[in-house]
Amino acid sequence: ARPEDHVVVLFGATGDLARRKLLPGLFHLAKAGLMPQRYRIVGSAPAAEALDDEGFRAHARQAVAEFGRSAPEGPAWKEFESALSFGAADPDAPEPLVAAVGDAEQAVGGSPRRLFHLAVPPVAFTSVVDLLGSTGLAQEARVIVEKPFGTDLASARELNAAVHAVFDESRVFRIDHFLGKEAVDNILALRFANGLFEPLWNREHISHVQIDVPEQIDIQGRAHFFEGTGTFRDMVVTHLFQLLGFVAMEPPVALEAQSLRDEQVKVFRSMRPVDPAHVVRGQYAGYRAESGVDPASDTETFVALRVDVDNWRWAGVPFHLRSGKALAEGRHVVTLGLREPVLRMFPLDARAAADGRADELVIDFADPGSVTARFLAKEPGPAMQLGQGSMVFDYGSSFTTDNALEAYEHLILQAMLGDQALFTRSDGIERLWEVSAPLLESPPPVQPYAPGTWGPDSIEALVAPYRWHLPERH
Ligand code: BG6
């Protein structure tokens, strides 16, 4: 079904996220016929950065040309462009925005739904929400909120209170774009639509789980944002913990928002608070010399940690999480290590050959994604020699991915449809900050690592007797 008619208001319309993801994403939705029958998009920013309608259209055209999947041309672009307008908004001067939204609503006709997308820095967040409340624009409207949602439990609670003063939770869509990735949503299909995997998905059969999102890129000039944030807040509290929720959750009653999010939050409630002794914080050599970085900075650009989920399914199964900048490769991988069976029936040299070979399930959720079962197999030849075998499901070669949506496209569409299933909920977010508190209060010192490696050496000890899995590319 198509979303009902909409006026989408994009705060932070001149910012980086809007340029890279949101404007190109909205255009793609329009091209794919997924936007509402009738819609308008109103860009907004503080008066100092204000554009006029023509300026905003040119800005959007450039963004789509640079980052979009198809060029801004032809009838689809003309139609999309004609739906764009601009209204500046400052806390004490909201009039241009109110007028622009009014005009857009009139152009759509009837009583379209309002959707506010807050792609603004955290400091600006509360004032925008207040403005939406005081002008009455928030009435019946929905709001998409970007990460980071707070920096600790106290600030997350404050933000939730500020949002809830204006929007009740059923109208709040907190984005964690990892939940919009096709291959992440496939974790639900893999687990719950098959008889093959779910029976293994517990402490009886799985000895450890790894959630690994190394990045090759460095901070790419984002010192201002990164210095005060660090990898733990930027990647773990948001993306990796959310993924952990999908990997570890009990089967929801149904694939709808309340059931799904209830199960996710139950996982978060079962998580033991992060023990700083089970965390390695790293910083790549050269970080302190980057422009805008404090020469004595203690901000981590890498983090590896062990998380324990104390429930009936996972007790005793460590979850190893890792993410960092300037690492050897960029990957998005979940690995479930299977318990070692009794290999006694195999001859000694076959057992030795099995050493270091993997018996594991690997979910690669880099677009378009793959799932690989790696196991031991008999090598051809007269002797019983064990070697590495694998079975691979590859999205790209199993399906046509023409209809695939990028994470942001998928999530903006879901928000227009009013479906909160892939958005984080206030209690879940608060719980994750609560779980993170011991680490935030006493972080271990950062350890240096050379760019292009997998992080500080001490990460090996963190996961012993297991090891870090580095799956082959397919
Ligand atoms: C963002 C972080 O949320 O996610 C970035 O702020 C990070 O630091 C990015 O690079 C990774 O997203 P993806 O989809 O490219 O893995």
Side-chain angles (χ1 to χ4, degrees), residues 240-274:
L240 271 62
F241 281 169
Q242 294 296 333
L243 262 175
L244 189 154
F246 266 34
V247 172
M249 71 163 71
E250 295 302 313
V253 176
L255 284 185
E256 49 78 32
Q258 181 169 347
S259 311
L260 201 66
R261 301 200 300 173
D262 281 351
E263 294 309 333
Q264 240 196 325
V265 174
K266 275 195 225 165
V267 173
F268 300 157
R269 288 173 58 195
S270 307
M271 280 163 67
R272 236 185 263 170
V274 174

Side-chain angles (χ1 to χ4, degrees), residues 147 177-178 181 215 217 222 234-235 239 325 332:
K147 59 153 285 210
H177 80 274
F178 272 40
K181 290 179 187 273
E215 294 185 283
I217 52 170
R222 295 199 301 163
D234 184 38
M235 294 298 287
H239 309 317
K325 303 284 187 204
H332 296 75

Side-chain angles (χ1 to χ4, degrees), residues 21 147 177-178 181 213-215 217-220 222 225-226 229 234-235 238-239 325 331-332 365 367 407-408:
K21 299 283 182 193
K147 59 153 285 210
H177 80 274
F178 272 40
K181 290 179 187 273
V213 186
E215 294 185 283
I217 52 170
D218 58 19
I219 60 162
Q220 297 188 303
R222 295 199 301 163
F225 162 73
F226 207 82
T229 307
D234 184 38
M235 294 298 287
T238 48
H239 309 317
K325 303 284 187 204
R331 302 300 299 268
H332 296 75
F365 61 96
D367 278 338
Y408 267 102

